[in-house]
Amino acid sequence: MNAIRETAGLTDWQARQVRREGTRMAVGFYLEPGDDPDSLVNRVSAALAAAPPGSMATGVTGFALAGLPLPARNEREAAANVHLLMPKGAGRRHRRPGVVTHLFNGEPPAAWLTPGQIPVADLRQCWVDAVRHLALRDPWEIDPQLLPIQRGRFNTERRRAWLQAVQMGDVLVRRQQAPTSLADFGRHMARLAPSPGTRLIRAAFAAVRAGTDSLPETQIRLAVMEAGFPEPAVNLEVEVAGSRRYLDLCWPDQWIDLEYQGSDHFSDPAQVKADMRRRGELQRGGWTIVEAATRDLGDPGQLFGRLAAAFHW
């Protein structure tokens, strides 16, 4: 945060020099010459420099600073705006273009520091604030169970918001390098006070599952459940041909494994070869393999047909 210079307290000559050489990031705050005004770290540093004491990054900004994947819409939001958590009463006075304010009462929530010493809210709180922002853009006034379901298509604003919220929640409890556990996440949710957006927050958390590997994997899991299939196990570890394997989404009672193949699967010959060998081992071990590809995310109808055939429906 040392790249941001404040003109308050400088002599007139010093202030003029800062304004002449730097890039204006907020009223009275300038980026030092040569630094990129569009970088996430510099945008957040400038926003925090102009914010009241106790403020910290939150929401999608916190996810981005932690290097966590975001759904495309939320990624665009992180690129367009800095989300800050501020003491209640400070938000209105510090609103400005490019900064979205979230407020807290009393003591500030737990925070962590990036290598550049930027304070970031606990990632569970970042998730709550990110989902609340989604909810306030399109208020959730009805029970999520009553939302229209069209065979796995997230074709309304509310349904897209719910999908994105669950995807971000799954990231926090993912299989590898999870920032938190589902139990700790649940304890944080138990302390959550009712407020605008709580309906979406609770509806999304109810669908979060530990152990996922990717955002598309979460989308496919939710889509197949909404199409009427039983809930699959997530990245179940099984032993096949003397090796331990993780199955993306599976129904162990039915010996059905649903595998998502991203675009990188088809561009890496070594990966293709390894996946073919893995598929053969699973099939010889008695598993029925159903594959899903990127195209199935937008139009899952054919995927559902393949899956129904595997279930002998």
Side-chain angles (χ1 to χ4, degrees), residues 30-97:
Y30 290 79
L31 189 65
E32 290 187 349
D35 286 327
D36 181 8
D38 295 323
S39 79
L40 175 66
V41 169
N42 287 336
R43 290 191 297 115
V44 177
S45 296
L48 283 170
S55 298
M56 61 191 75
T58 193
V60 293
T61 301
F63 270 66
L65 287 168
L68 297 175
L70 286 165
R73 176 181 178 182
N74 306 95
E75 194 171 54
R76 291 192 295 270
E77 175 63 24
N81 295 304
V82 171
H83 287 246
L84 296 184
L85 187 58
M86 299 181 179
K88 188 174 182 180
R92 186 175 298 276
R93 291 185 289 111
H94 290 272
R95 287 177 184 168
R96 62 182 180 83

Side-chain angles (χ1 to χ4, degrees), residues 8 10 44 49-50 55 97 99-100 148 170 185 219 248 265 279 311-312:
L10 301 180
V44 177
S55 298
V99 176
V100 177
D170 276 6
F185 203 171
Q219 181 172 340
D248 288 353
H265 163 83
R279 178 187 178 118
F311 273 92
H312 301 291

Side-chain angles (χ1 to χ4, degrees), residues 4-234:
I4 305 298
R5 300 186 64 184
E6 184 177 4
T7 55
L10 301 180
T11 65
D12 289 343
W13 180 85
Q14 290 172 325
R16 284 195 299 271
Q17 185 177 22
V18 168
R19 287 193 291 266
R20 182 173 61 253
E21 296 177 350
T23 301
R24 184 177 182 274
M25 300 293 286
V27 177
F29 294 90
Y30 290 79
L31 189 65
E32 290 187 349
D35 286 327
D36 181 8
D38 295 323
S39 79
L40 175 66
V41 169
N42 287 336
R43 290 191 297 115
V44 177
S45 296
L48 283 170
S55 298
M56 61 191 75
T58 193
V60 293
T61 301
F63 270 66
L65 287 168
L68 297 175
L70 286 165
R73 176 181 178 182
N74 306 95
E75 194 171 54
R76 291 192 295 270
E77 175 63 24
N81 295 304
V82 171
H83 287 246
L84 296 184
L85 187 58
M86 299 181 179
K88 188 174 182 180
R92 186 175 298 276
R93 291 185 289 111
H94 290 272
R95 287 177 184 168
R96 62 182 180 83
V99 176
V100 177
T101 58
H102 306 256
L103 306 178
F104 64 85
N105 281 312
E107 292 294 317
W112 55 280
L113 295 175
T114 69
Q117 301 300 297
I118 295 175
V120 184
D122 180 295
L123 288 170
R124 296 169 301 178
Q125 183 62 43
C126 287
W127 180 82
V128 168
D129 289 333
V131 178
R132 180 173 288 118
H133 181 67
L134 283 172
L136 295 179
R137 291 178 61 170
D138 184 29
W140 270 53
E141 298 174 351
I142 61 175
D143 190 311
Q145 298 300 322
L146 302 179
L147 295 177
I149 295 175
Q150 294 187 6
R151 293 186 61 78
R153 292 178 181 269
F154 300 94
N155 59 339
T156 69
E157 196 68 16
R158 285 190 174 95
R159 294 188 53 66
R160 282 190 290 268
W162 177 70
L163 166 63
Q164 292 152 13
V166 179
Q167 286 178 311
M168 288 188 286
D170 276 6
V171 165
L172 295 188
V173 292
R174 60 190 181 181
R175 182 166 66 93
Q176 297 181 329
Q177 298 179 321
T180 188
S181 68
L182 189 58
D184 283 343
F185 203 171
R187 283 189 282 272
H188 185 84
M189 290 295 297
R191 299 190 296 268
L192 188 66
S195 63
T198 301
R199 188 183 296 275
L200 174 56
I201 291 168
R202 296 200 182 283
F205 179 72
V208 169
R209 297 292 182 269
T212 59
D213 278 334
S214 68
L215 301 176
E217 188 178 291
T218 295
Q219 181 172 340
I220 290 173
R221 172 172 61 85
L222 298 177
V224 298
M225 289 171 59
E226 294 190 332
F229 294 96
E231 179 171 357
V234 176

Side-chain angles (χ1 to χ4, degrees), residues 151 220 224 229 251 256-261 279 288-297 299-313:
R151 293 186 61 78
I220 290 173
V224 298
F229 294 96
W251 293 264
I256 297 173
D257 174 30
L258 174 56
E259 294 287 314
Y260 173 70
Q261 309 292 4
R279 178 187 178 118
T288 297
I289 310 299
V290 178
E291 291 188 343
T294 304
R295 63 179 178 274
D296 294 313
L297 297 174
D299 185 6
Q302 292 185 9
L303 169 62
F304 297 152
R306 297 193 298 273
L307 194 55
F311 273 92
H312 301 291
W313 288 1

Side-chain angles (χ1 to χ4, degrees), residues 261 265 269-284 291:
Q261 309 292 4
H265 163 83
Q271 185 63 50
V272 172
K273 185 176 181 179
D275 286 343
M276 289 178 63
R277 181 173 63 250
R278 179 177 184 274
R279 178 187 178 118
E281 290 174 351
L282 288 169
Q283 288 176 323
R284 288 189 293 274
E291 291 188 343

